[in-house]
Amino acid sequence: MVVMIKAVLFDFSGTLFRLEEDESWFAGIAVDEREVDGHVQAELMRRLTAPTGRSVQMSDEQYHAWVNRDLAPHLHREAYLHVLRESGLADHHAVELYERVIDPDSWTAYPDTATVLKTLKQQGIKTAVVSNIAFDIRPAFAAIGAKDDVDEFVLSFEVGAVKPNAAIFTTALDRLGVAAPDALMVGDSEEADGGAKAVGCRFALVDPLPTAERPDGLLTALTTSGIQA
């Protein structure tokens, strides 16, 4: 039996948008008093956008902030500033780079993001952005003219739950008024976003490639899942 998909839940980072650094971000910044080169830039960005485990030494208190960083803005700031300082950045440079991370204008939309959201809206398929994040990302969608095409923003720091906790997915489904079997979760993390499968949603994995290298990843994910986007 074919089940009609009535809603699509999307992850934010690495799925709809990607944090892609500009060379100017690192102008005048040194790591352990050495000028930042491309490899160091890449490692810093990895630690800021796709961290797994402890990338630097942490005390118990610092680890608590790290684990809970997406539940409260103050913990997010504390956790990432510690990572940047431990990575060799001077305090003022750590703050400067962190401010870039939480600025919605710093995030680049994937080429098909706006098109996909608009097309789903036109088809009457509901959408929600379900993200582990500690700052408001709505302005990033407004900047590409897509904010009104998203029905719900379910952000961890606003709802008090992080993926893969079932609560964040059920919150999104409840707000949309859609049953789990009728919903598709699209994200770049099998571990976090794939948690939607535990509540009964379908799941499509996308690769968090640079935006220039993934022109139609969202469209492909939806088509493969039976949605003509």
Side-chain angles (χ1 to χ4, degrees), residues 180-202:
D182 299 328
L184 169 71
M185 176 74 206
V186 180
D188 69 308
S189 169
E190 183 77 45
E191 179 183 358
D193 304 314
K197 292 185 290 185
V199 302
C201 296
R202 278 169 283 182

Side-chain angles (χ1 to χ4, degrees), residues 14-52:
T15 300
L16 295 176
F17 285 74
R18 191 172 188 271
L19 185 65
E20 298 184 331
E21 73 276 16
D22 185 280
E23 287 293 329
S24 65
W25 295 9
F26 297 91
I29 292 182
V31 170
D32 295 328
E33 301 182 354
R34 291 194 298 271
E35 185 177 342
V36 172
D37 61 18
H39 292 296
V40 174
Q41 285 185 29
E43 176 58 19
L44 288 173
M45 295 305 293
R46 185 194 69 78
R47 293 183 182 187
L48 289 171
T49 58
T52 55

